[in-house]
Amino acid sequence: MAKVQVLNVAVLDNPSPFGNPFQFEMTFECMEDLPEDLEWKIIYVGSAESEEYDQTLDSVLVGPVPAGRHMFVFQADAPNTDLIPETDAVGVTVALITCTYRGQEFIRIGYYVNNEYTDPELRENPPVKPDYCQLQRNILASNPRVTRFHINWEGCADKMEDCENVDPAPNAMLPPSCASGKPPALGLMPDNSMDCL
């Protein structure tokens, strides 16, 4: 049984201009004390064609985590536009939130993201080079795709096994990707008011 349950993710500041930070209010529950950190990441999928355009927007360490319910706001800067193929700037893509414990990913939450021009003229005649200052980002907050993985909570597992997929949008494809890095630590705030995800 998983020792961490994500109870709710609230998408904040949505829709918003493309250049605004991503903001998610995360609520999760630990069934028992966790002696090591949870690592949370926000990943922006730059292109459906290749994982090489995926960007880890931020990663944070939360922990050690006492048993109980916790809440924090996870904020990350907008993606680096120089790393997004121009043909993929406008339209639908994906933002992922992942969490790992002892190097093992146990949950992935994916959201469809629609980037479009708010100006009707630009919608009809989009510029050849994307104008990110005119783009609006809209995260489809009501329909996340949640994938849970069984991991070895007591130590490092050789591999992920027995994947359970909870998918309100069947046939949706989310490209998997994780990058590594040394994230800053993040504090916890207890919270008792959120509903289950």
Side-chain angles (χ1 to χ4, degrees), residues 72-192:
F72 70 99
V73 174
F74 193 3
Q75 179 172 309
D77 288 339
N80 180 344
T81 56
D82 293 337
L83 303 178
I84 301 172
E86 290 183 358
T87 54
D88 292 304
V90 179
V92 178
T93 187
V94 171
L96 301 170
I97 301 170
T98 67
C99 192
T100 60
Y101 184 68
R102 292 178 169 164
Q104 305 166 89
E105 182 180 338
F106 63 88
I107 191 165
R108 174 176 298 193
I109 304 164
Y111 290 95
Y112 287 111
V113 180
N114 187 34
N115 299 313
E116 64 181 357
Y117 292 108
T118 54
D119 184 316
E121 175 63 30
L122 288 174
R123 279 193 199 171
E124 289 296 318
N125 302 294
V128 176
K129 188 170 179 61
D131 184 351
Y132 288 99
C133 293
Q134 300 294 322
L135 279 177
Q136 182 182 67
R137 178 183 68 226
N138 189 0
I139 300 171
L140 185 57
S142 61
N143 197 17
R145 174 176 170 153
V146 181
T147 307
R148 294 178 177 89
F149 304 94
H150 293 286
I151 66 167
N152 178 358
W153 290 92
E154 305 308 321
C156 290
D158 292 335
K159 61 180 177 158
M160 309 273 179
E161 40 181 64
D162 214 7
C163 172
E164 172 199 347
N165 188 18
V166 180
D167 186 3
N171 304 323
M173 297 299 291
L174 296 180
S177 173
C178 278
S180 59
K182 226 170 190 169
L186 185 74
L188 293 175
M189 291 183 293
D191 179 81
N192 296 310

Side-chain angles (χ1 to χ4, degrees), residues 3 8 54 58 61 66 137 146 157 187:
K3 293 187 179 181
N8 192 59
D54 291 3
D58 202 357
L61 296 178
R137 178 183 68 226
V146 181

Side-chain angles (χ1 to χ4, degrees), residues 21-35:
F22 282 83
Q23 295 182 63
F24 300 95
E25 185 181 77
M26 312 294 301
T27 304
F28 66 96
E29 186 166 20
C30 282
M31 305 309 158
E32 59 185 71
D33 293 353
L34 293 179

